[in-house]
Amino acid sequence: MSFASTLAGPAAGLALALTAVQTAAAQAESPCAPYEIVAAALNERYHEAPVARMLSDRGFVIEILASADGSTATVLGIQASGTACVLATGSAFGLVEPAVAPAPGTGA
């Protein structure tokens, strides 16, 4: 199994998993603090910086921070109030090339 395929499985289910995790109960169990404090601590301790951001259909922001070499990564859920909650942490972060769908009618 290649490194890319190892990352593709978890990455493919990331959005679904994050949506399921981001409930009031999950936030209560996650370490939360103002975004500026969380981001500064992750940068200072792990040299992580934002690499991806999206707006969830539930109205909060999902942000992925990673170190330059990908050795560490953190997923935050950021509420409209500015409170950031750690949803997941991990290692071996890497970006994957999006799959290209065949053009309609090409039969490919």
Side-chain angles (χ1 to χ4, degrees):
M1 178 179 287
S2 73
F3 181 72
S5 64
T6 301
L7 291 176
L14 181 61
L16 180 60
L18 291 176
T19 300
V21 168
Q22 188 63 23
T23 64
Q27 287 181 352
E29 296 171 11
S30 299
C32 299
Y35 173 80
E36 294 79 15
I37 292 172
V38 175
L42 291 170
N43 184 272
E44 183 178 322
R45 183 163 185 178
Y46 301 106
H47 307 288
E48 292 181 0
V51 295
R53 191 175 292 133
M54 68 174 256
L55 180 61
S56 79
D57 59 357
R58 295 189 181 194
F60 59 90
V61 173
I62 297 289
E63 184 171 272
I64 301 173
L65 297 90
S67 58
D69 64 0
S71 62
T72 65
T74 304
V75 179
L76 299 178
I78 307 166
Q79 302 167 12
S81 65
T83 299
C85 299
V86 175
L87 302 179
T89 60
S91 59
F93 177 80
L95 297 174
V96 296
E97 291 294 323
V100 177
T106 62

